[in-house]
Amino acid sequence: MGLLSKPIKTLDDLFVHTLQDIYYAEQQITKALPKMISKATDPMLKQGFEMHLEETKNQVKRLEQVFQMHGQPAKAVTCPAIDGILEEANDILGDVKDNDVIDAAAAAAAQAVEHYEIARYGTLVAWARELGRDDCASVLEQTLKEEKAADAKLTDIAESRLNRLATQR
Amino acid sequence: MGLLSKPIKTLDDLFVHTLQDIYYAEQQITKALPKMISKATDPMLKQGFEMHLEETKNQVKRLEQVFQMHGQPAKAVTCPAIDGILEEANDILGDVKDNDVIDAAAAAAAQAVEHYEIARYGTLVAWARELGRDDCASVLEQTLKEEKAADAKLTDIAESRLNRLATQR
């Protein structure tokens, strides 16, 4: 925690801190997705990433809405978890040479990102409800549903196409 | 990828690399859990972490079994994703002062770890099947089920106890 950050004493402080963490994470994902789009060769995967980039931009706006509803400035705090997950995604996409194997690796890397978000939004929804902020919970839940759907779609593309194509190399 | 690592050309190479990644991750989790156990004050959460430490040690052995079944030496490669997730867990447990709020934060941090593992084992099971290694898939699937159960148990403890206790601060 930075020297100027507010100390975390209550569940409300923890909720706000976690909003700031996922706000940073969504911004980093917005920056990382164009590279994944350019690396992907399978048309369904590429299109899935393009759609998810648009969804992610909207999720950033939703977080700004939640900050406002909760009377807090929209602020990002560095999230070492997403930095590590995206660093690993970047490393693996650099290490694999064959296009079909890159697609399988890219889908798996994206699923690690989705699962981080599912964990965080799941927690945020539960904390918002406990804090009596059902209004914030319902906005955060829209994103949680999108992340789960994105993960399920990646499983479907990987298991129906990408993994099979990658074994032919 | 280290200079001495084998280049990733095929789905089989990617499968082995991801086994090495999660082998490192499980080892780091084994090292991190005792600190989480010592920080947790809620008896159900503490007991849940203690049980999961034993499960994790067994998951390490299962990975060694899969390496052997696949004719590969058990080797770990640095996994920046788990390093980042555990760094973030450590930061938050250091930043929060109240015990009940620490418990809520610790459960959430553990769920981020579980979700990373769910993503990776889900991928590994699918790749093992695609590679015709149903034997490896079935061993990996045992761990996948344990990780999903651990995540569900954490949701249950958090939503039935920890979050409520934390709002009373």
Side-chain angles (χ1 to χ4, degrees), chain A residues 98-109:
Chain A
D98 175 86
N99 281 344
D100 290 327
V101 182
I102 285 177
D103 283 344

Side-chain angles (χ1 to χ4, degrees), chain A residues 43-59:
Chain A
M44 273 187 71
L45 182 66
K46 204 183 254 292
Q47 192 191 28
F49 283 160
E50 279 163 355
M51 273 180 57
H52 196 58
L53 176 57
E54 293 314 306
E55 264 182 354
T56 304
K57 288 178 186 168
N58 195 38
Q59 291 165 356

Side-chain angles (χ1 to χ4, degrees), chain A residues 1 8-11 14 17 21 79-81 84-85 87-88 91-92 95-98 101 104-105 108 111-112 115-116 118-120 123 126-127 130-131 159 163-164 166-167 169, chain B residues 1 8-11 14 17 21 79-81 84-85 87-88 91-92 95-98 101 104-105 108 111-112 115-116 118-120 123 126-127 130-131 159 163-164 166-167 169:
Chain A
M1 188 168 60
I8 299 167
K9 291 181 184 166
T10 65
L11 189 68
L14 188 59
H17 176 84
D21 171 288
C79 162
I85 292 165
E87 181 189 334
E88 188 162 313
D91 287 353
I92 196 80
D95 283 346
V96 183
K97 301 303 167 202
D98 175 86
V101 182
Q111 287 194 278
H115 270 281
Y116 179 70
I118 290 168
R120 288 290 179 238
T123 292
W127 286 346
E130 198 65 49
L131 292 165
E159 296 190 0
N163 297 348
R164 185 174 38 81
T167 52
R169 299 289 145 173
Chain B
M1 188 168 60
I8 299 167
K9 290 181 183 166
T10 65
L11 190 68
L14 189 59
H17 175 85
D21 171 288
C79 162
I85 292 166
E87 181 189 333
E88 189 162 311
D91 287 352
I92 196 80
D95 284 346
V96 183
K97 301 303 164 200
D98 176 85
V101 181
Q111 288 194 279
H115 270 280
Y116 179 70
I118 290 167
R120 288 291 179 236
T123 293
W127 286 347
E130 198 66 49
L131 292 165
E159 296 190 1
N163 297 347
R164 185 174 37 80
T167 52
R169 299 289 144 177

Side-chain angles (χ1 to χ4, degrees), chain A:
Chain A
M1 188 168 60
L3 285 174
L4 298 174
S5 297
K6 199 180 157 210
I8 299 167
K9 291 181 184 166
T10 65
L11 189 68
D12 196 293
D13 296 337
L14 188 59
F15 174 70
V16 172
H17 176 84
T18 308
L19 277 180
Q20 293 168 342
D21 171 288
I22 198 74
Y23 187 52
Y24 172 92
E26 293 285 16
Q27 289 170 342
Q28 298 311 110
I29 295 164
T30 306
K31 288 180 199 161
L33 270 168
K35 188 168 178 186
M36 292 181 81
I37 293 167
S38 75
K39 281 270 185 179
T41 57
D42 180 83
M44 273 187 71
L45 182 66
K46 204 183 254 292
Q47 192 191 28
F49 283 160
E50 279 163 355
M51 273 180 57
H52 196 58
L53 176 57
E54 293 314 306
E55 264 182 354
T56 304
K57 288 178 186 168
N58 195 38
Q59 291 165 356
V60 170
K61 285 187 194 146
R62 253 187 227 133
L63 284 170
E64 287 163 357
Q65 189 187 344
V66 174
F67 276 115
Q68 194 173 28
M69 288 159 82
H70 203 55
Q72 293 287 331
K75 195 185 111 179
V77 292
T78 304
C79 162
I82 203 70
D83 284 344
I85 292 165
L86 293 175
E87 181 189 334
E88 188 162 313
N90 197 44
D91 287 353
I92 196 80
L93 294 184
D95 283 346
V96 183
K97 301 303 167 202
D98 175 86
N99 281 344
D100 290 327
V101 182
I102 285 177
D103 283 344
Q111 287 194 278
V113 173
E114 289 313 314
H115 270 281
Y116 179 70
E117 297 186 279
I118 290 168
R120 288 290 179 238
Y121 281 106
T123 292
L124 282 167
V125 167
W127 286 346
R129 284 209 192 104
E130 198 65 49
L131 292 165
R133 298 304 312 245
D134 286 355
D135 54 342
C136 297
S138 90
V139 176
L140 293 162
E141 200 152 38
Q142 289 173 50
T143 299
L144 177 60
K145 278 183 190 161
E146 283 174 2
E147 305 297 6
K148 286 183 178 174
D151 178 58
K153 191 176 170 185
L154 284 163
T155 296
D156 184 50
I157 299 176
E159 296 190 0
S160 67
R161 300 166 59 88
L162 307 182
N163 297 348
R164 185 174 38 81
L165 289 167
T167 52
Q168 290 163 5
R169 299 289 145 173

